[in-house]
Amino acid sequence: MDKPRDCLIIGGGPAGLTAAIYLARFHLNILVVDAGKSRAKWIPCTHNHAGFPDGITGEELLDRMRTQAQKYGAKIINDRVTKLERDDDSGLFTATWGSGTQQARMVLLATGVTNRRPPMDEDLHDEALAQGLIRYCPICDGYEVTDKRVGVIGSDSHGVAEAIFIRSFTADVTLIAPDKAMDLNAEDRARLEAASIPFIDGPAQAVAISEKCIIVETAEGTQSFDTVYPALGSDTHTALAEMLGATLNEQGCVTVDSHQRTSVEGMYAAGDVVIGLDQISHAMGEGGVAATTIRNDLAKQSPMLREPDAEMTEAADGS
């Protein structure tokens, strides 16, 4: 097995790659293992990310971040970590993926979440997503549906809240039950009625794309929308954290302190695995905080003294 690294980062989304850039520039020996499932990868174009007034695709943003991390010495492997252990005596972590194994003094979990998809053909879903006919984050891209016809697939309070949020961008919003008759309490029904948002029964299934619209079949007939927002929740990737007994909160996310430390000594977490806010900027901020904390916590174990570079020393001496 290779010499233990200072830090192993699991996940190569905005949080993990931001941390990788920081840690590499701290002259630490780090490795990123990325399964390639970052939700940011699927963003057709984000206009919310500061510094890109004309927008940037999620894939391009991640490519730029990977290049930046590698420029400073970060190594990135494309694989999925399936096992994570910690030795109580040495404090070292051991991660396993495919045929690979790596030990590390510290671990950062940036494993994110997966959105629950609406019932539809997978290829059709991906094409609709690429065209902006399906969107998952109204905070990020509600502006893009201004005054357009929007369908929200969801039948609980979460779906109601999302429909009302989108109502601030357009007057044409419809809430659709995903797989059964609409089951709302009196308070939620009153909120929808006050916002003039109709709600119809499912099951709902997106069946086609036509003239820049997405066609959805419901119990009340075929509906056509400019964009559909699935409000079906998400699944947080906490399996590795649970292997080590890390504390989770009521929402099923990894619990951390204000410096991104988990309840397991030497393990940190950042991004949507901590709070499913779906915001690139927030994930990047947590990645920066986590990296700085990791650097400082490592320094408490042993001083981080920069040894002289032999070539630079020879050049300074004129030799």
Side-chain angles (χ1 to χ4, degrees):
M1 188 181 298
D2 294 339
K3 177 183 176 181
R5 293 183 182 265
D6 293 316
C7 185
L8 172 68
I9 300 172
I10 304 176
L17 291 175
T18 297
I21 293 168
Y22 274 58
L23 290 169
R25 286 173 54 81
F26 288 144
H27 294 295
L28 294 176
N29 181 2
I30 66 168
L31 173 67
V32 180
V33 182
D34 177 29
K37 300 294 185 180
S38 172
R39 185 169 41 178
K41 178 181 178 180
W42 302 104
I43 299 174
C45 187
T46 176
H47 296 273
N48 257 23
H49 197 295
F52 296 94
D54 296 320
I56 184 171
T57 69
E59 189 163 8
E60 182 182 355
L61 179 63
L62 293 177
D63 284 344
R64 289 184 178 215
M65 295 180 73
R66 279 191 291 266
T67 298
Q68 188 171 350
Q70 290 169 327
K71 176 180 179 180
Y72 296 105
K75 183 178 180 182
I76 301 175
I77 293 176
N78 296 319
D79 215 319
R80 186 173 72 88
V81 174
T82 56
K83 188 177 182 181
L84 185 62
E85 302 169 285
R86 182 180 184 276
D87 183 86
D88 291 335
D89 294 329
S90 66
L92 290 176
F93 295 87
T94 302
T96 303
W97 60 89
S99 59
T101 301
Q102 178 65 59
Q103 287 188 324
R105 297 167 66 191
M106 305 286 191
V107 167
L108 172 62
L109 297 180
T111 45
V113 303
T114 297
N115 293 120
R116 295 172 190 157
R117 295 187 172 194
M120 62 188 299
D121 177 79
E122 184 174 346
D123 291 338
L124 179 64
H125 172 276
D126 293 348
E127 178 62 25
L129 189 66
Q131 293 187 31
L133 301 177
I134 289 180
R135 301 177 183 271
Y136 282 94
C137 181
I139 294 175
C140 305
D141 51 32
Y143 182 90
E144 274 65 52
V145 301
T146 298
D147 295 333
K148 293 186 177 181
R149 189 172 189 214
V150 177
V152 176
I153 299 179
S155 59
D156 56 10
S157 295
H158 176 69
V160 171
E162 189 149 319
I164 291 174
F165 183 89
I166 294 169
R167 181 65 178 81
S168 65
F169 295 97
T170 177
D172 198 340
V173 182
T174 302
L175 181 63
I176 310 164
D179 54 13
K180 58 184 178 181
M182 190 66 68
D183 183 19
L184 299 175
N185 59 39
E187 181 181 353
D188 282 338
R189 287 176 178 270
R191 293 176 67 199
L192 290 174
E193 290 171 359
S196 300
I197 298 174
F199 43 95
I200 59 179
D201 291 337
Q205 182 170 2
V207 295
I209 297 172
S210 176
E211 297 180 356
K212 296 185 178 180
C213 293
I214 184 167
I215 311 301
V216 180
E217 287 186 354
T218 75
E220 299 183 21
T222 300
Q223 306 283 330
S224 175
F225 300 100
D226 297 307
T227 292
V228 165
Y229 279 91
L232 304 173
S234 57
D235 298 309
T236 311
H237 302 158
T238 59
L240 296 176
E242 293 180 73
M243 285 182 188
L244 295 183
T247 301
L248 306 184
N249 62 23
E250 293 181 355
Q251 290 72 44
C253 297
V254 179
T255 300
V256 297
D257 66 11
S258 59
H259 297 279
Q260 309 303 134
R261 299 184 185 95
T262 72
S263 60
V264 177
E265 185 176 357
M267 186 167 74
Y268 308 75
D272 285 338
V273 74
V274 172
I275 178 172
L277 195 59
D278 303 357
Q279 297 299 299
I280 292 173
S281 58
H282 186 268
M284 292 172 72
E286 287 196 343
V289 171
T292 304
T293 304
I294 290 167
R295 185 265 173 216
N296 291 339
D297 286 351
L298 283 169
K300 292 175 184 176
Q301 296 180 7
S302 59
M304 290 191 171
L305 303 178
R306 180 72 174 161
E307 297 297 329
D309 185 282
E311 292 184 4
M312 292 183 66
T313 302
E314 290 176 3
D317 292 340
S319 55

